[in-house]
Amino acid sequence: MNLSTENLTPAIKVRHLSKRVADASGELTILHDIEFSAFAGETLAIVGASGSGKSTLLGILAGLDTPTEGTVELMGQDIFALTEDGRALLRKKQLGFVFQSFQLLMHLNALENVMLPLELRGDQDARAKAEVMLAKVGLGSRLKHYPKFLSGGEQQRVALARAFVTEPPLLFADEPTGSLDAATGEAIIQLMFELNRERGSTLVMVTHDMSIAERCQRILRIHAGRLLVE
């Protein structure tokens, strides 16, 4: 599907983004002069070989890492003009993030993991909303189970529920099926796109799987830290 972007403010706007780090040989460029925009409701895949910089880019977009140069605007806000606390507040209000390794809190059960972002923003209906979302991802009977008693696919479903429960306008996913078997991964991807359509959020996904990337409306290809122009 092609989106009409005329007169729209980008949900994500990246300009002249670079990332360099020191290594044993001197300085290593991970990202070089990256520029792109994404609009509300768009689904965007970032693809590239291992080590190409795609996960670093996603981390910078979420404000979890900082660039050496350049700007990232999310919903019109330059996130690196904010303090670290300011970026954390923006993430709490605007972002959902799905990690490859799930990043669930092991001392909290499924319900508590999904309730957490709601509780952090003071939502009085956190429990009810978390229960509804866990039911939506097929875990309505597993609310009190701790992560160690859930399969990989179930843990990723909890992670998806946690990312979507705050109804964020932006959703980032870093190799969301990378730790899952093919059948479970397919179910997770179908669920992610279904939830994204329901919520109308902007989805940016890092993946090495072109069959997944091709389901998105647009694909960005990164090679050796540079965005390829097609």
Side-chain angles (χ1 to χ4, degrees), residues 112-178:
E112 291 165 341
N113 265 285
V114 178
M115 287 174 61
L116 183 60
L118 294 168
E119 291 177 325
L120 288 174
R121 71 179 192 183
D123 195 313
Q124 298 301 307
D125 297 320
R127 175 176 291 273
K129 289 179 180 179
E131 288 178 348
V132 168
M133 183 54 65
L134 281 165
K136 186 176 289 290
V137 301
L139 293 176
S141 63
R142 310 283 274 173
L143 303 182
K144 298 300 179 71
H145 287 69
Y146 288 87
K148 67 179 179 180
F149 298 116
L150 298 172
S151 68
E154 288 172 331
Q155 289 185 53
Q156 191 61 297
R157 286 173 181 267
V158 175
L160 275 179
R162 181 183 59 188
F164 276 102
V165 75
T166 59
E167 301 188 10
L170 301 170
L171 181 71
F172 296 152
D174 188 6
E175 297 282 10
T177 63

